[in-house]
Amino acid sequence: MAGPTTAQRGGSKSKNSKSAARSGPSRPGGRAPRGGGSPRLRLPRRRLLAWTACAVLLGGAAGWALYGSSWLRATHVDVSGVRVLTADEVREAAAVPLGDPLVSVDTDAIAGRLRERLPRIGSVTVERSWPRGIDLKVVERQPRAIVEKSGKYIEIDGSGVRFATVDHAPQGVPRLLVEPEDSSSLRRFGPPRLEREGVRVAEALPPALRLDARAIRVRSYDSITLELTGGRTVVWGSGERGDAKARTLTALLKAARGADHFDVSAPSAPAASGS
């Protein structure tokens, strides 16, 4: 019997090719993946779920450590920077909630209480000191002038703030005397403004001159006089150009050691007189 013709062989190959194309490429083992998914997509998803679970556990542990653990609670308060105030006074005014979780302690509220209850405090830094402490770093106001009233002394800092009343005058701080010479000066400026001008002069003095100053006498805005040790007086004028006047006075005191009256109201043309 004759074999298949060329046309028949070609037709058979064509049918086989179409059948192979429909069935697609063969897979190892001859099995298709179940569920239509890919193993390469399932693995990262499992890792993501594992990482999410770990993150939740770690977050819960951190929250418990910060808020529930007895190891991270405020148990003590350290105070630094005090000079006139005592550390116990600062602690009492701060009213730190000891025993509370350290992370929940309101440091801004503590700073506000200190400034309100202790006006001598010019600034304060409140910091958490892990694991159990609160640090209070205090900067006290420094008196630049004092005002005597009813046998006591009111301390005034360089910005004009009256912050304390004491029984004894602090050493090296000049007394401020506001004595308006006419009513027109009072009507225009008023005692508080004249007092601030006197403090402005005190703030401009370098430490050596401030120690020599016994009094700052304010008669008007542009009539301020310093009284120094040894009976020496200084016509200062207004509180303006304080730094220039202080430099001029320092040089003048060295150049005219025998003088007892100085005028630096015009610092570019100073004068000295007296024996």
Side-chain angles (χ1 to χ4, degrees):
M1 181 181 292
T5 64
T6 303
Q8 289 174 335
R9 289 196 298 269
S12 178
K13 291 180 179 180
S14 176
K15 291 178 181 179
N16 291 337
S17 299
K18 290 179 180 179
S19 176
R22 285 195 300 270
S23 63
S26 61
R27 301 181 181 275
R31 294 181 181 178
R34 296 180 181 179
S38 171
R40 295 181 180 179
L41 295 178
R42 286 201 301 268
L43 187 56
R45 192 175 301 152
R46 290 175 182 174
R47 287 181 179 175
L48 178 61
L49 291 174
W51 281 113
T52 302
C54 289
V56 171
L57 291 174
L58 289 174
W64 177 85
L66 290 173
Y67 291 95
S69 171
S70 61
W71 292 98
L72 299 178
R73 293 180 178 271
T75 60
H76 63 274
V77 180
D78 294 326
V79 180
S80 61
V82 291
R83 300 179 62 182
V84 177
L85 296 170
T86 66
D88 287 340
E89 286 176 315
V90 174
R91 289 191 187 96
E92 182 178 357
V96 176
L98 297 179
D100 284 8
L102 193 63
V103 70
S104 68
V105 173
D106 191 338
T107 56
D108 290 338
I110 293 173
R113 287 194 292 271
L114 286 171
R115 288 191 293 265
E116 179 183 357
R117 298 174 182 178
L118 298 175
R120 184 176 290 277
I121 294 179
S123 64
V124 59
T125 302
V126 183
E127 296 178 342
R128 297 179 182 86
S129 178
W130 297 95
R132 299 184 179 185
I134 292 291
D135 287 344
L136 306 179
K137 300 176 182 178
V138 173
V139 177
E140 295 184 5
R141 299 182 189 273
Q142 299 301 311
R144 291 291 179 255
I146 55 174
V147 173
E148 185 177 3
K149 184 177 181 180
S150 303
K152 295 183 179 295
Y153 301 91
I154 302 172
E155 295 180 311
I156 310 173
D157 72 356
S159 60
V161 175
R162 295 187 173 200
F163 63 89
T165 300
V166 295
D167 294 330
H168 304 285
Q171 294 183 351
V173 181
R175 189 171 302 185
L176 182 59
L177 305 170
V178 179
E179 303 169 341
E181 58 187 8
D182 55 46
S183 57
S184 62
S185 181
L186 279 176
R187 284 196 303 270
R188 185 175 179 182
F189 299 105
R193 174 63 184 278
L194 296 178
E195 180 176 290
R196 286 197 299 272
E197 289 303 309
V199 174
R200 187 180 176 188
V201 173
E203 180 69 6
L205 296 176
L209 276 178
R210 193 178 296 127
L211 289 173
D212 281 345
R214 291 292 175 262
I216 300 173
R217 198 176 297 273
V218 183
R219 294 187 175 88
S220 68
Y221 179 83
D222 56 2
S223 179
I224 301 175
T225 303
L226 298 182
E227 298 177 3
L228 305 180
T229 57
R232 297 169 296 172
T233 59
V234 180
V235 176
W236 192 271
S238 70
E240 299 174 1
R241 303 183 64 189
D243 291 341
K245 293 176 181 179
R247 289 194 299 270
T248 299
L249 179 58
T250 300
L252 202 60
L253 289 170
K254 293 179 180 179
R257 295 186 181 275
D260 56 15
H261 183 76
F262 307 88
D263 190 335
V264 294
S265 56
S268 58
S273 60
S275 55

